[in-house]
Amino acid sequence: MKNLWLDEEAKNYKSDLELRVYSSNLLGQSDELVLHGGGNTSVKSIVDGEDILFVKGSGWDLVSIKAEGFSPVKMATLLEMAKLKSLSDIDMVSGQKEAMIDKTAPNPSVEAILHALIPFKVVDHTHADAIVTISNSKNGKKYIDELFPNFLIIPYVMPGFILAQKIYEATKDNFDWNRCEGIILHNHGIFTFDDNAKKSYSKMIKAVSLAEEFLKLNANVDLAPIEPSSYKIDKLKELIEIKKGFSVVMKINQTPLALKYASKNNLVTFATRGVLTPEHILRTKRVPLILEDNNIEKSLNIFEENYKSYFKKYENGEVMLNTTPNYAVIKNYGVVSFGKDEKEVNIINDIVEHTMLAVLRADMLGGYESITEENSFAMEYWELEQAKLKK
Ligand SMILES: [Zn+2]
């Protein structure tokens, strides 16, 4: 993938934070690195003699983040929090907020402690498609180990305090950070870091390019045009709106990728294998509505029943979310997303587009495998994430 760094432009940015904004925007410009609010970045700096972590604030997208989108948090507090034996994510967030030196700044990213633990000035984190595609495949652990021998590789755990604690445990004794080229979080994403903003960004591009090369060689998906069949799409919209109780904006995807995906056999199994990176679940839910015949009502009822039993299986006092699908895969017709407005439907469509390619590629690596249903539930019903979506 292309390295977008321009020395000519970068030289205009003098402060740590200005440069941080510049390379965050560069990361955000590549859809194959982050989509809609995904990923986060930080820079360590000194304010009035105190070490401060400027970390992406929640509610900001890397592509458009500005200086005011970064939360300034005291490093000392974050490093103390990392040592705690246990901490709820709610308490972590309020502890982080208390350690902000500017109370008008946005809430710091839930990965702030992790960023603080990495002893380099600049830290970049993305959910790069190529990395998570390989990781979400049957032999993902082996391939990632082989491709990234000098990376710290962490099996999937829930983002937030549990993940920060995992990194703390893995690195607190005799860990040689200088020989560590980055961190890969299985089923989630990748971190690169350096004391220099250009180098940290370039390490990200280099690592992701390596994964892309691997996929090109081992999982190249042929996307020939396919003629879509017809479907009673107006009826689908009508029934979805009745179920959801509000009018929806629908987006029909009939790209060669969507058609190849929708033409697979046994969609009920094929297209329901979970999300590419955990936070996507908040937009798409874990599985789509599958329509393999014209009986939309019956399929919708099955979807809702399955959703309710998934909730019942894992719930522990949470309030159930909307039980209706956010997108549908329609046999030989394509993929249709439903959003409350144009913006939301485009986000869902983009996420599904990236997921479909990853699934097809991971199948060529032995089979697509996402996080477990139980871990999906933990993410979908994460209190913090529910709060973030309401914004
Ligand atoms: Zn992440």
Side-chain angles (χ1 to χ4, degrees):
M1 68 175 301
K2 202 167 177 245
N3 187 318
L4 303 173
W5 186 281
L6 293 172
D7 286 329
E8 260 315 286
E9 195 182 342
K11 72 169 195 248
N12 299 319
Y13 307 118
K14 303 289 181 225
S15 72
D16 289 341
L17 191 54
E18 280 173 344
L19 257 185
R20 176 67 285 181
V21 170
Y22 173 61
S23 68
S24 300
N25 294 162
L26 293 187
L27 292 168
Q29 280 172 38
S30 302
D31 281 356
E32 61 271 43
L33 289 179
V34 288
L35 280 176
H36 307 293
N40 42 63
T41 56
S42 68
V43 64
K44 298 176 184 75
S45 196
I46 293 170
V47 179
D48 297 331
E50 193 167 16
D51 288 333
I52 300 298
L53 178 81
F54 286 86
V55 64
K56 190 187 111 168
S58 66
W60 288 81
D61 280 5
L62 288 183
V63 68
S64 52
I65 196 166
K66 297 183 174 74
E68 61 264 34
F70 286 86
S71 313
V73 194
K74 291 178 187 173
M75 279 288 290
T77 310
L78 293 171
L79 294 175
E80 277 310 309
M81 284 165 82
K83 294 180 197 158
L84 295 173
K85 284 276 168 282
S86 73
L87 183 67
S88 76
D89 285 324
I90 293 284
D91 290 343
M92 177 186 78
V93 166
S94 66
Q96 287 179 353
K97 273 167 85 169
E98 225 143 276
M100 281 162 56
I101 55 167
D102 172 3
K103 304 290 183 212
T104 66
N107 282 348
S109 158
V110 292
E111 312 299 7
I113 297 176
L114 204 172
H115 281 256
L117 284 170
I118 298 173
F120 288 91
K121 191 175 183 71
V122 180
V123 177
D124 293 338
H125 168 50
T126 73
H127 301 153
D129 286 348
I131 302 286
V132 286
T133 297
I134 297 170
S135 174
N136 282 342
S137 73
K138 197 159 188 274
N139 301 311
K141 290 210 162 61
K142 175 177 153 277
Y143 292 137
I144 292 288
D145 283 349
E146 285 169 7
L147 282 166
F148 301 102
N150 300 320
F151 276 59
L152 172 63
I153 295 165
I154 305 286
Y156 180 79
V157 289
M158 181 84 176
F161 182 72
I162 296 173
L163 174 57
Q165 198 179 37
K166 207 105 225 127
I167 301 289
Y168 173 71
E169 289 298 328
T171 59
K172 69 178 169 38
D173 304 312
N174 306 318
F175 183 77
D176 190 353
W177 278 104
N178 287 312
R179 293 187 58 180
C180 177
E181 291 177 12
I183 300 172
I184 288 179
L185 310 173
H186 269 298
N187 316 98
H188 175 164
I190 173 171
F191 281 81
T192 55
F193 34 81
D194 200 282
D195 286 331
N196 174 290
K198 181 182 179 180
K199 284 187 182 161
S200 181
Y201 170 77
S202 300
K203 283 177 183 175
M204 177 66 72
I205 302 303
K206 191 180 155 205
V208 175
S209 299
L210 188 71
E212 285 181 341
E213 282 303 311
F214 174 85
L215 288 172
K216 221 164 151 186
L217 281 173
N218 299 289
N220 205 17
V221 175
D222 165 46
L223 292 176
I226 300 175
E227 201 53 45
S229 62
S230 60
Y231 201 77
K232 30 181 202 171
I233 205 75
D234 292 339
K235 183 77 189 161
L236 172 62
K237 185 168 190 279
E238 194 189 309
L239 290 171
I240 286 283
E241 290 182 334
I242 292 170
K243 284 277 188 201
K244 285 192 183 280
F246 55 85
S247 63
V248 297
V249 178
M250 208 163 62
K251 181 150 183 149
I252 300 170
N253 185 345
Q254 294 183 314
T255 57
L257 172 62
L259 280 160
K260 184 172 181 120
Y261 197 79
S263 66
K264 290 284 179 180
N265 291 329
N266 199 1
L267 289 175
V268 173
T269 321
F270 171 80
T272 57
R273 287 177 287 165
V275 291
L276 187 54
T277 186
E279 66 173 29
H280 287 174
I281 202 163
L282 306 161
R283 301 290 192 177
T284 62
K285 294 193 182 286
R286 205 180 80 82
V287 297
L289 169 67
I290 303 294
L291 295 168
E292 291 186 296
D293 57 32
N294 277 319
N295 199 339
I296 302 173
E297 262 176 307
K298 186 177 160 217
S299 301
L300 260 176
N301 289 336
I302 292 173
F303 182 94
E304 285 203 284
E305 276 163 31
N306 288 345
Y307 190 84
K308 284 175 192 163
S309 48
Y310 155 77
F311 178 78
K312 217 172 146 192
K313 189 168 171 189
Y314 300 108
E315 64 97 8
N316 184 17
E318 293 87 352
V319 178
M320 188 160 62
L321 298 169
N322 194 320
T323 57
T324 57
N326 290 354
Y327 74 104
V329 180
I330 308 174
K331 181 78 179 173
N332 294 329
Y333 175 85
V335 174
V336 181
S337 300
F338 318 108
K340 63 178 186 303
D341 52 30
E342 201 71 39
K343 189 179 170 209
E344 188 179 72
V345 81
N346 283 325
I347 291 175
I348 295 168
N349 180 68
D350 285 347
I351 290 174
V352 174
E353 181 86 3
H354 284 250
T355 306
M356 291 189 294
L357 183 60
V359 169
L360 294 176
R361 294 182 122 176
D363 274 348
M364 296 179 74
L365 298 176
Y368 179 79
E369 279 179 3
S370 173
I371 55 172
T372 62
E373 196 182 67
E374 189 176 8
N375 283 332
S376 300
F377 182 89
M379 193 70 204
E380 190 173 358
Y381 282 87
W382 193 13
E383 238 176 311
L384 296 174
E385 288 296 339
Q386 285 190 55
K388 203 159 96 181
L389 269 194
K390 282 178 200 137
K391 272 191 173 175

